[in-house]
Coordinates of all heavy atoms in Angstrom, one line a residue:
T1 N 86.2 88.6 82.7 CA 86.9 87.3 82.5 C 88.4 87.6 82.5 O 89.2 86.9 83.2 CB 86.5 86.6 81.3 OG1 85.0 86.3 81.4 CG2 87.2 85.3 81.2
V2 N 88.8 88.5 81.7 CA 90.3 88.8 81.5 C 90.8 89.3 82.9 O 91.9 88.9 83.3 CB 90.5 89.9 80.4 CG1 91.9 90.4 80.5 CG2 90.2 89.3 79.1
A3 N 90.1 90.2 83.6 CA 90.6 90.7 84.9 C 90.8 89.5 85.9 O 91.8 89.5 86.6 CB 89.6 91.7 85.4
L4 N 89.9 88.6 85.9 CA 90.0 87.5 86.8 C 91.2 86.6 86.5 O 91.9 86.1 87.5 CB 88.7 86.7 86.8 CG 88.4 85.6 87.9 CD1 88.4 86.3 89.3 CD2 87.2 84.9 87.6
E5 N 91.5 86.4 85.3 CA 92.6 85.5 84.9 C 93.9 86.2 84.9 O 94.9 85.6 85.1 CB 92.3 84.9 83.5 CG 91.1 84.1 83.4 CD 91.2 82.8 84.2 OE1 92.3 82.4 84.5 OE2 90.2 82.2 84.5
F6 N 94.0 87.5 84.7 CA 95.2 88.2 84.5 C 95.8 88.7 85.9 O 97.0 88.9 86.0 CB 95.1 89.4 83.6 CG 95.2 89.1 82.1 CD1 95.0 87.8 81.7 CD2 95.5 90.1 81.2 CE1 95.0 87.5 80.4 CE2 95.5 89.7 79.8 CZ 95.3 88.4 79.4
R7 N 94.9 89.0 86.9 CA 95.4 89.7 88.0 C 96.5 89.1 88.8 O 97.4 89.7 89.4 CB 94.2 90.0 89.0 CG 93.5 88.8 89.6 CD 94.0 88.5 91.0 NE 93.9 89.6 91.9 CZ 94.6 89.7 93.0 NH1 95.4 88.6 93.4 NH2 94.5 90.7 93.8
S8 N 96.6 87.7 88.8 CA 97.6 87.1 89.6 C 98.8 86.6 88.7 O 99.7 85.9 89.2 CB 97.0 85.8 90.3 OG 96.1 86.2 91.3
K9 N 98.9 87.1 87.5 CA 100.0 86.8 86.7 C 101.3 87.5 87.0 O 102.4 87.2 86.6 CB 99.7 87.0 85.2 CG 98.5 86.2 84.7 CD 98.7 84.7 84.8 CE 97.5 83.9 84.3 NZ 97.6 82.5 84.5
E10 N 101.1 88.6 87.8 CA 102.2 89.4 88.2 C 102.1 89.7 89.7 O 101.0 89.8 90.2 CB 102.3 90.8 87.5 CG 102.5 90.7 86.0 CD 103.9 90.3 85.6 OE1 104.8 90.4 86.5 OE2 104.2 89.9 84.4
E11 N 103.3 89.9 90.4 CA 103.3 90.1 91.8 C 103.1 91.6 92.1 O 102.8 92.0 93.3 CB 104.6 89.6 92.4 CG 104.8 88.1 92.3 CD 103.8 87.4 93.3 OE1 103.3 88.0 94.2 OE2 103.6 86.2 93.0
D12 N 103.3 92.5 91.1 CA 103.2 93.9 91.3 C 101.9 94.3 91.9 O 100.8 94.1 91.3 CB 103.4 94.7 90.0 CG 103.5 96.2 90.2 OD1 103.4 96.7 91.3 OD2 103.8 96.8 89.2
P13 N 101.8 95.0 93.1 CA 100.6 95.4 93.7 C 99.7 96.3 92.8 O 98.5 96.2 92.8 CB 101.0 96.1 95.0 CG 102.4 95.6 95.3 CD 103.0 95.3 94.0
R14 N 100.4 97.2 92.0 CA 99.6 98.1 91.2 C 99.0 97.3 90.1 O 97.8 97.6 89.7 CB 100.6 99.1 90.6 CG 101.0 100.2 91.6 CD 102.1 101.1 91.0 NE 103.3 100.4 90.6 CZ 104.3 101.0 90.0 NH1 104.3 102.3 89.8 NH2 105.4 100.3 89.7
W15 N 99.6 96.3 89.5 CA 99.0 95.4 88.5 C 97.8 94.7 89.0 O 96.7 94.7 88.4 CB 100.1 94.4 88.1 CG 99.6 93.3 87.2 CD1 99.1 92.1 87.7 CD2 99.6 93.2 85.8 NE1 98.7 91.3 86.6 CE2 99.0 91.9 85.4 CE3 99.9 94.0 84.8 CZ2 98.8 91.5 84.1 CZ3 99.8 93.6 83.4 CH2 99.2 92.4 83.1
R16 N 97.9 94.1 90.2 CA 96.8 93.4 90.8 C 95.7 94.4 91.2 O 94.5 94.0 91.0 CB 97.3 92.7 92.1 CG 98.3 91.5 91.7 CD 98.5 90.6 92.9 NE 99.3 89.4 92.5 CZ 99.4 88.4 93.3 NH1 99.0 88.4 94.5 NH2 100.1 87.3 92.8
S17 N 96.0 95.5 91.7 CA 94.9 96.5 92.1 C 94.2 96.9 90.9 O 92.9 97.1 90.9 CB 95.5 97.6 92.9 OG 96.1 97.2 94.1
A18 N 94.9 97.2 89.8 CA 94.2 97.6 88.6 C 93.3 96.6 88.0 O 92.1 96.9 87.7 CB 95.3 98.0 87.5
W19 N 93.7 95.3 88.0 CA 92.8 94.3 87.5 C 91.6 94.0 88.5 O 90.5 93.7 88.0 CB 93.6 93.0 87.2 CG 94.4 93.1 85.9 CD1 95.7 93.0 85.8 CD2 93.8 93.3 84.6 NE1 96.1 93.2 84.5 CE2 95.0 93.3 83.7 CE3 92.6 93.4 84.1 CZ2 94.8 93.5 82.3 CZ3 92.4 93.6 82.7 CH2 93.5 93.6 81.8
D20 N 91.9 94.2 89.8 CA 90.8 94.0 90.8 C 89.8 95.1 90.5 O 88.6 94.8 90.6 CB 91.4 94.1 92.2 CG 92.2 92.9 92.6 OD1 92.0 91.8 92.0 OD2 93.0 93.0 93.5
A21 N 90.2 96.3 90.2 CA 89.3 97.4 89.9 C 88.5 97.1 88.7 O 87.3 97.3 88.6 CB 90.0 98.7 89.8
V22 N 89.1 96.6 87.6 CA 88.4 96.2 86.4 C 87.4 95.1 86.7 O 86.2 95.2 86.2 CB 89.4 95.7 85.3 CG1 88.7 95.1 84.1 CG2 90.3 96.8 84.9
F23 N 87.8 94.1 87.5 CA 86.8 93.0 87.8 C 85.6 93.6 88.6 O 84.5 93.2 88.3 CB 87.5 91.9 88.6 CG 86.6 90.8 89.0 CD1 86.2 89.9 88.0 CD2 86.2 90.6 90.3 CE1 85.4 88.8 88.3 CE2 85.4 89.5 90.6 CZ 85.0 88.7 89.6
G24 N 85.9 94.4 89.6 CA 84.8 94.9 90.4 C 83.9 95.8 89.6 O 82.6 95.6 89.7
L25 N 84.4 96.7 88.8 CA 83.6 97.6 88.0 C 82.8 96.9 86.9 O 81.7 97.2 86.6 CB 84.4 98.7 87.5 CG 85.1 99.7 88.5 CD1 86.0 100.7 87.9 CD2 84.0 100.4 89.3
S26 N 83.5 95.9 86.3 CA 82.8 95.2 85.2 C 81.7 94.3 85.8 O 80.7 94.1 85.2 CB 83.8 94.3 84.4 OG 84.5 93.4 85.3
S27 N 81.9 93.7 87.0 CA 80.8 93.0 87.7 C 79.6 93.9 88.0 O 78.5 93.5 87.7 CB 81.3 92.3 89.0 OG 82.4 91.4 88.7
L28 N 79.9 95.1 88.5 CA 78.9 96.1 88.8 C 78.2 96.4 87.5 O 76.9 96.5 87.4 CB 79.5 97.3 89.4 CG 78.6 98.5 89.7 CD1 77.5 98.1 90.7 CD2 79.4 99.7 90.1
G29 N 79.0 96.7 86.4 CA 78.4 97.1 85.1 C 77.5 96.0 84.5 O 76.4 96.3 84.0
L30 N 78.0 94.8 84.6 CA 77.2 93.7 84.0 C 75.9 93.5 84.7 O 74.8 93.3 84.1 CB 78.0 92.4 84.1 CG 77.4 91.1 83.5 CD1 77.0 91.3 82.0 CD2 78.3 89.9 83.7
A31 N 75.9 93.5 86.1 CA 74.7 93.4 86.8 C 73.7 94.5 86.5 O 72.5 94.3 86.3 CB 75.0 93.4 88.3
F32 N 74.2 95.8 86.4 CA 73.4 96.9 86.1 C 72.8 96.8 84.7 O 71.6 97.1 84.5 CB 74.3 98.2 86.2 CG 73.5 99.5 86.1 CD1 72.5 99.7 87.0 CD2 73.8 100.4 85.1 CE1 71.7 100.9 86.9 CE2 73.1 101.6 85.1 CZ 72.1 101.9 85.9
M33 N 73.6 96.4 83.7 CA 73.1 96.2 82.4 C 72.1 95.1 82.2 O 71.1 95.2 81.5 CB 74.2 96.1 81.4 CG 75.0 97.4 81.1 SD 76.2 97.2 79.8 CE 77.5 96.4 80.7
L34 N 72.3 94.0 82.9 CA 71.3 92.9 82.9 C 69.9 93.4 83.5 O 68.9 93.1 83.0 CB 71.8 91.7 83.7 CG 72.9 90.9 83.1 CD1 73.4 89.8 84.0 CD2 72.5 90.3 81.7
G35 N 70.0 94.2 84.5 CA 68.8 94.8 85.1 C 68.1 95.8 84.2 O 66.9 95.7 84.0
I36 N 68.9 96.6 83.5 CA 68.3 97.5 82.5 C 67.6 96.7 81.4 O 66.5 97.0 80.9 CB 69.4 98.4 81.9 CG1 69.8 99.4 82.9 CG2 68.9 99.1 80.6 CD1 71.0 100.3 82.5
A37 N 68.3 95.6 80.9 CA 67.7 94.8 79.9 C 66.3 94.2 80.4 O 65.3 94.2 79.6 CB 68.6 93.6 79.5
F38 N 66.3 93.7 81.6 CA 65.1 93.1 82.1 C 64.0 94.2 82.3 O 62.8 93.9 82.0 CB 65.3 92.4 83.4 CG 64.1 91.7 84.0 CD1 63.7 90.6 83.4 CD2 63.5 92.2 85.1 CE1 62.5 89.9 83.9 CE2 62.4 91.6 85.7 CZ 61.9 90.4 85.1
G39 N 64.4 95.4 82.7 CA 63.5 96.5 82.8 C 62.8 96.8 81.5 O 61.6 97.1 81.5
N40 N 63.6 96.8 80.4 CA 63.1 97.1 79.1 C 62.1 96.0 78.6 O 61.1 96.3 78.0 CB 64.2 97.4 78.1 CG 64.7 98.8 78.2 OD1 64.2 99.7 77.7 ND2 65.8 99.0 78.9

């Protein structure tokens, strides 16, 4: 949630790329953990 809301608060490409990476990895992690929960 934070990554989605923060990424466009600055124009710096490094700022945006960092938050995009957080959003992508956290989306991947959340999907993976939900699957692990269902598997258990």
Side-chain angles (χ1 to χ4, degrees):
T1 302
V2 169
L4 193 60
E5 296 294 341
F6 277 20
R7 64 95 55 195
S8 295
K9 300 301 181 183
E10 297 286 345
E11 296 289 340
D12 186 356
R14 289 173 299 180
W15 169 273
R16 294 190 169 192
S17 296
W19 285 116
D20 288 340
V22 172
F23 181 73
L25 294 174
S26 58
S27 297
L28 174 66
L30 180 57
F32 189 58
M33 285 187 282
L34 288 175
I36 288 175
F38 184 71
N40 277 280

